[in-house]
């Protein structure tokens, strides 16, 4: 099982709905998608452009058809941008089983979501606990406020 958290590769990446305005990527990804092994699952924490990179996700979807797990509402953004894509939309507290004895648990995270001026907080954001036979992995994604790890250390 090869997961990707999150897939971001756009060469001219700008974290903005405008390709010419916004924070620019400073460092290229360590590996290009074509250098990665087959990706079986992709976990997307929220809809900011630096986490939900539609061009990269479209390439990954066309190449590998990974199982995509994302919080509620982000699946709609993906479907609008990538015809035929399949994504599992989850709410906080949901558990999504994957192959190989792996499960993804969606956990609350204090953050916000928006891709434009009129869609603020229209999609959920989450952190994930990825449960594997070897142990658990905590994938924060982003958080803009201090949080207590005790609340998710179940």
């Amino acid at each position: 099982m090869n997961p990707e958290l999150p897939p971001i590769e756009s060469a001219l990446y700008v974290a903005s709905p405008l390709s010419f305005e916004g924070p620019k990527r400073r460092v290229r990804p360590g590996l290009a998608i074509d250098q990665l092994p087959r990706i079986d699952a992709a976990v997307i924490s929220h809809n900011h452009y630096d986490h939900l990179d539609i061009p990269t996700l479209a390439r990954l979807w066309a190449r590998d058809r990974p199982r995509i797990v994302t919080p509620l509402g982000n699946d709609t953004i993906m479907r609008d941008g990538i015809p035929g894509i399949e994504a599992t939309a989850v709410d906080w507290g949901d558990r999504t089983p994957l192959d190989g004895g792996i499960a993804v648990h969606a956990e609350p995270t204090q953050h916000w979501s928006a891709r434009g001026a009129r869609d603020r907080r229209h999609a959920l954001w989450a952190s994930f606990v990825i449960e594997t036979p070897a142990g658990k992995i905590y994938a924060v994604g982003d958080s803009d406020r201090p949080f207590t790890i005790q609340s998710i250390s179940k």
Side-chain angles (χ1 to χ4, degrees):
M1 168 65 78
N2 291 318
E4 177 77 14
L5 306 163
I8 303 169
E9 188 194 53
S10 294
L12 300 174
Y13 184 79
V14 176
S16 163
L18 306 171
S19 63
F20 57 87
E21 184 73 31
K24 292 185 176 39
R25 166 170 231 131
R26 295 188 187 272
V27 179
R28 291 198 46 80
L31 295 171
I33 284 186
D34 296 337
Q35 296 173 302
L36 294 174
R38 174 182 167 74
I39 301 299
D40 301 304
V43 179
I44 312 293
S45 62
H46 63 292
N47 65 8
H48 291 169
Y49 286 85
D50 60 335
H51 289 262
L52 178 50
D53 179 7
I54 293 293
T56 299
L57 193 55
R59 286 185 60 209
L60 188 62
W61 178 254
R63 190 188 88 164
D64 297 337
R65 294 287 198 264
R67 176 81 183 270
I68 299 169
V69 180
T70 191
L72 297 168
N74 296 293
D75 56 317
T76 301
I77 297 164
M78 292 175 197
R79 287 186 190 101
D80 287 347
I82 307 168
I85 195 167
E86 297 173 18
T88 301
V90 296
D91 199 353
W92 292 342
D94 286 353
R95 178 182 185 275
T96 304
L98 303 175
D99 293 338
I102 296 172
V104 176
H105 301 261
E107 299 295 336
T109 297
Q110 293 184 357
H111 200 41
W112 58 279
S113 63
R115 286 179 74 86
R118 296 187 177 131
D119 66 346
R120 188 177 206 99
R121 301 184 195 272
H122 286 196
L124 192 64
W125 54 93
S127 291
F128 296 96
V129 173
I130 302 169
E131 182 182 358
T132 76
K136 295 179 180 178
I137 301 164
Y138 180 52
V140 175
D142 265 354
S143 180
D144 63 359
R145 294 180 178 88
F147 62 93
T148 305
I149 201 142
Q150 295 165 341
S151 67
I152 52 119
S153 62
K154 306 171 203 170

